[in-house]
Amino acid sequence: MTSIPTTLGPKRSDELGLILPHEHIFVDLRTLDTPGFAQADVEQVVQLMTPEIEKAQAVGVTAIVECSAVGVGRRVDIIRAVSEATQLPVVVPTGVYREPWVPDWVHNASESYLAEWMLSELQGEIEDSGVQAGWIKLSAGDEGLTDVETKILRAAATAGRESNAVIGSHTIQGQVVRDQLDIIEAIGYAPERFIWIHTQAEPEFELHLEMAQRGAWLEYDWIGNQDEDDLLKIQQLLDAGYGNQLLLSQDRGWYDPALPGGGVPQPYTYLVEKFLPKLRAAGIEEATIHQLTHTNPFRAFAR
Ligand SMILES: [Zn+2]
């Protein structure tokens, strides 16, 4: 029986419904040496984000995947506090973001050390938080993988192979995903356990099809920004038979420590309230919508 590790313990498919596979509760996109980087009062984050999560729960969201990795303000203590206050299970990553958000210790670490570190968070817990990492988040430079990004990816493939955890990569260019799949396959990690985060940012639709053909998950995760374009491509992917490899999310939220009081979060409800009705209006069947919003995200993150 597979389950997804969350802030509220492992969850089976019968305990979950609609899952948002790419959102944020807390992110800091400033450089790591900025004074106050990733700092916030935990209670203030809980106060700001609780109403947003309650609104999401009211429209049927049963879990969200937090995509803030090491480098952009991963704060598992904060995520756990928000999760416990709302009783929403949150899936938290191990892994490291791209340059220039890669901390010195990661630059200095060996590939095998990084793999051991990821595996310890995937099989044990993150930083004595009591929370097990549910997946591996990483990224790649827009012009191609740098040496340190390649080291992180190779370490992730090893840790993922040992744990069956899914790897998700923020990769803006399809050409770079091609390289990433080559690298992980050479280590013996299946493309079927790789999520191409921000697939929609690649204008060349042929590359979406190519990576789907190789087995990877495609994630359209800026729902709400380009609905007509997304809708067209979703229909084309469904027609091509890739409906079981597609994930939808919004990349929204979040408490931003760079802004006074954390700023004004964007609601998590757009997909359910506005976009799913557009899919229905386009003639996409309810069973397919269920697959895209319930079955697929569970299968992607479960192990
Ligand atoms: Zn994101």
Side-chain angles (χ1 to χ4, degrees):
M1 179 75 76
T2 61
S3 62
I4 304 180
T6 81
T7 44
L8 302 180
K11 297 291 179 191
R12 301 181 312 270
S13 62
D14 62 319
E15 299 174 283
L16 297 170
L18 187 144
I19 300 167
L20 295 174
H22 186 134
E23 308 295 336
H24 298 272
I25 292 169
F26 187 88
V27 191
D28 196 336
L29 290 169
R30 299 175 293 179
T31 53
L32 295 139
D33 56 359
T34 308
F37 176 79
Q39 299 303 306
D41 176 57
V42 178
E43 263 319 297
Q44 205 178 24
V45 182
V46 171
Q47 295 234 328
L48 184 71
M49 297 312 297
T50 292
E52 295 305 332
I53 288 176
E54 288 176 344
K55 278 185 247 169
Q57 289 169 307
V59 300
V61 173
T62 64
I64 68 174
V65 177
E66 167 66 61
C67 284
S68 301
V70 167
V72 290
R74 186 182 71 161
R75 283 287 303 268
V76 180
D77 58 330
I78 289 176
I79 305 302
R80 183 181 177 170
V82 173
S83 168
E84 285 179 346
T86 56
Q87 288 301 300
L88 181 80
V90 181
V91 190
V92 182
T94 187
V96 187
Y97 203 55
R98 66 187 166 96
E99 291 195 83
W101 291 277
V102 177
D104 287 342
W105 74 265
V106 175
H107 277 284
N108 297 330
S110 67
E111 181 186 318
S112 61
Y113 179 88
L114 287 174
E116 284 301 316
W117 164 69
M118 291 180 199
L119 200 55
S120 75
E121 294 198 339
L122 290 162
Q123 294 182 333
E125 61 182 307
I126 300 171
E127 298 160 357
D128 299 323
S129 64
V131 175
Q132 191 170 78
W135 63 300
I136 307 169
K137 166 75 187 284
L138 46 81
S139 183
D142 295 351
E143 308 306 324
L145 288 159
T146 67
D147 288 349
V148 71
E149 290 160 1
T150 301
K151 179 174 73 174
I152 293 165
L153 177 64
R154 289 176 53 89
T158 301
R161 190 188 61 202
E162 300 305 315
S163 62
N164 197 29
V166 75
I167 297 172
S169 179
H170 164 122
T171 310
I172 297 302
Q173 295 228 28
Q175 305 265 11
V176 180
V177 180
R178 191 184 277 157
D179 297 339
Q180 290 180 301
L181 294 184
D182 290 346
I183 289 168
I184 62 172
E185 278 182 308
I187 291 174
Y189 182 84
E192 285 76 10
R193 302 298 292 144
F194 184 91
I195 301 170
W196 176 8
I197 291 172
H198 304 324
T199 306
Q200 73 284 340
E202 169 57 65
E204 194 72 55
F205 185 67
E206 286 302 313
L207 288 167
H208 301 203
L209 291 172
E210 178 185 322
M211 303 316 152
Q213 168 70 34
R214 288 182 71 173
W217 290 95
L218 308 182
E219 186 178 273
Y220 291 179
D221 49 31
W222 291 336
I223 298 293
N225 293 345
Q226 42 186 39
D227 283 359
E228 300 319 309
D229 195 43
D230 286 340
L231 192 55
L232 195 68
K233 287 180 174 144
I234 289 167
Q235 280 175 311
Q236 286 177 287
L237 286 175
L238 294 174
D239 291 345
Y242 293 121
N244 57 351
Q245 287 169 245
L246 179 58
L247 300 168
L248 305 178
S249 210
Q250 306 156 128
D251 203 2
R252 289 188 175 196
W254 54 75
Y255 186 102
D256 184 347
L259 299 173
V264 181
Q266 278 191 295
Y268 300 116
T269 50
Y270 186 89
L271 179 98
V272 174
E273 290 187 319
K274 299 286 199 280
F275 191 69
L276 296 186
K278 292 184 187 187
L279 292 184
R280 292 184 185 104
I284 293 173
E285 288 174 17
E286 211 51 49
T288 303
I289 291 174
H290 189 272
Q291 177 184 44
L292 296 177
T293 54
H294 293 56
T295 317
N296 285 355
F298 183 82
R299 215 159 46 76
F301 288 88
R303 51 178 156 118

